[in-house]
Amino acid sequence: MDFRYLGNSGLKVSEISYGNWLTHGSQVENDQAKACVRAALEAGITTFDTADVYANTKAESVLGEALAGERRESLEIFTKVYWPTGPGGPNDTGLSRKHIHESVNASLKRLGTDYVDLYQAHRYDTETPLEETMEAFADVVRQGKALYIGVSEWTAEQLQEGHRLARELRIPFVSNQPQYSMLWRVIEAEVVPASEELGIGQVVFSPIAQGVLTGKYVPGQQPPEGSRATDANGANFIKRFLTDDVLTRVQELKPLAAEAGLSLSQLAVAWVLQNQNVSSAIIGASRPEQVTENVKASGVKLDDGLLKRIDEVLGHTVERDPAKTVQNSPQTRPGS
């Protein structure tokens, strides 16, 4: 496993991290979930990402149980705050001072740790003053409950303003967690250049495009039984990729992966890691063998010729519009 710095900080993270969105506490039984975490640890992954909203807090509990007994100093544990948790009362969501402080305390208890390495704003809150949010995050850092602060799916402008306040408050704002894959490149035009200037690293989710870039979805055929596309929750996030045009082009990537000595999913994970602003790529799994396969993308270098051929194959199916960076409101469905 190779390691990278998280943004401009001194914190090193495994360049492939393990996340439990849509799996632990919902799709995957606890024993299987713990087996996946064990496989991640054995493969050299030290960085684990979760959120309080995943399975309405259950995912944090499962991860905490799975990591119990591990040397805490050898792990980097990330979680997030913003989306509704609990019964969904008026203060059970957002980035208010009240919700941040209550949420971090609850997350630490579920994770079985005194601190998280990275505490992330799961979206931008348009209904709470950013000053209030960043001051609350500063309190969390100064209380020793989080070492670093990050965000998820913020626009370039939001990153710039948040970073300015973080500098004033003297807290380390070091990361952004966006969706990023061969098929979804909306961060490249604006978010990545702004992040490079600010010293913010990307911790990207869905590098395999919800499983589409494994090649298991075949044009003209029903999705495999038990796959993400057949799950009531997962189907909502994957449907935009399930067109015959996209699926046909993904199948055409298989020979390119074979030339590089990689599986299609390994190629997908290796592809996002070619971007030097990416600090880590989050993989998920419902079976331990998926972890074992995908970590083999660590350290892989793809040459310029191969990258160009990938672009030629995918063509117009690649989404690049920076306006597609998630715009945030309490009504938007939660993502990774």
Side-chain angles (χ1 to χ4, degrees):
M1 177 61 60
D2 286 358
F3 291 80
R4 300 185 179 192
Y5 287 105
L6 184 57
N8 204 27
S9 77
L11 179 66
K12 293 180 181 179
V13 295
S14 51
E15 67 175 11
I16 297 176
S17 46
Y18 182 83
N20 65 356
W21 172 45
L22 289 177
T23 52
H24 296 189
S26 53
Q27 289 182 343
V28 178
E29 295 296 327
N30 285 8
D31 287 348
Q32 188 77 341
K34 292 175 182 177
C36 290
V37 171
R38 177 55 49 191
L41 290 165
E42 291 173 354
I45 289 176
T46 61
T47 308
F48 294 85
D49 179 81
T50 187
D52 57 3
V53 71
Y54 297 165
N56 196 16
T57 73
K58 293 178 183 176
E60 284 186 326
S61 297
V62 174
L63 182 62
E65 292 169 8
L67 293 176
E70 295 297 318
R71 182 177 183 269
R72 179 63 183 88
E73 294 84 352
S74 299
L75 303 173
E76 303 85 47
I77 300 176
F78 301 172
T79 194
K80 313 182 196 73
V81 57
Y82 172 82
W83 294 108
T85 53
N91 288 305
D92 288 344
T93 189
L95 297 177
S96 68
R97 172 180 291 275
K98 175 177 174 64
H99 187 56
I100 286 173
H101 280 280
E102 291 173 347
S103 296
V104 71
N105 289 332
S107 288
L108 294 178
K109 184 176 181 180
R110 287 188 291 266
L111 289 164
T113 182
D114 295 330
Y115 70 96
V116 290
D117 297 271
L118 181 70
Y119 199 44
Q120 303 160 94
H122 208 158
R123 290 295 184 270
Y124 186 89
D125 187 353
T126 59
E127 298 186 352
T128 299
L130 184 57
E131 291 81 0
E132 176 180 341
T133 294
M134 297 307 291
E135 286 170 0
F137 278 140
D139 288 344
V140 169
V141 170
R142 289 176 185 134
Q143 291 165 3
K145 295 175 182 178
L147 303 184
Y148 300 88
I149 295 300
V151 300
S152 177
E153 292 283 28
W154 281 26
T155 65
E157 183 179 354
Q158 291 163 352
L159 291 170
Q160 289 162 344
E161 185 61 13
H163 187 268
R164 181 186 67 79
L165 289 169
R167 289 293 297 271
E168 290 180 4
L169 293 162
R170 303 182 68 81
I171 57 172
F173 177 16
V174 299
S175 69
N176 177 47
Q177 186 173 135
Q179 180 180 179
Y180 188 48
S181 71
M182 291 182 192
L183 293 170
W184 192 262
R185 309 187 194 181
V186 303
I187 64 171
E188 291 182 341
E190 297 177 2
V191 167
V192 167
S195 296
E196 289 175 336
E197 181 179 343
L198 299 171
I200 290 172
Q202 311 304 314
V203 179
V204 303
F205 70 87
S206 295
I208 309 175
Q210 304 297 311
V212 170
L213 289 171
T214 65
K216 66 182 176 183
Y217 298 104
V218 179
Q221 296 184 17
Q222 288 294 109
E225 196 63 37
S227 66
R228 179 71 52 85
T230 63
D231 176 79
N233 292 319
N236 181 64
F237 300 102
I238 197 175
K239 62 184 179 183
R240 64 175 166 238
F241 297 125
L242 296 180
T243 67
D244 283 351
D245 191 10
V246 170
L247 298 182
T248 297
R249 290 169 183 265
V250 169
Q251 295 298 316
E252 293 171 359
L253 291 175
K254 287 184 174 179
L256 303 188
E259 284 182 31
L262 303 169
S263 69
L264 203 46
S265 62
Q266 289 165 354
L267 179 69
V269 176
W271 185 91
V272 302
L273 291 173
Q274 304 311 295
N275 187 325
Q276 291 305 299
N277 190 232
V278 171
S279 296
S280 187
I282 302 171
I283 62 169
S286 56
R287 303 188 310 277
E289 54 267 30
Q290 293 172 325
V291 178
T292 304
E293 177 185 356
N294 291 332
V295 294
K296 294 176 183 176
S298 178
V300 171
K301 304 300 180 188
L302 305 179
D303 64 51
D304 291 342
L306 177 58
L307 295 173
K308 181 178 179 181
R309 291 165 68 193
I310 289 171
D311 287 348
E312 290 170 350
V313 168
L314 294 177
H316 69 272
T317 62
V318 174
E319 181 58 71
R320 302 177 186 271
D321 183 1
K324 295 290 180 72
T325 296
V326 172
Q327 298 301 303
N328 308 282
S329 74
Q331 287 74 42
T332 307
R333 288 180 58 87
S336 179

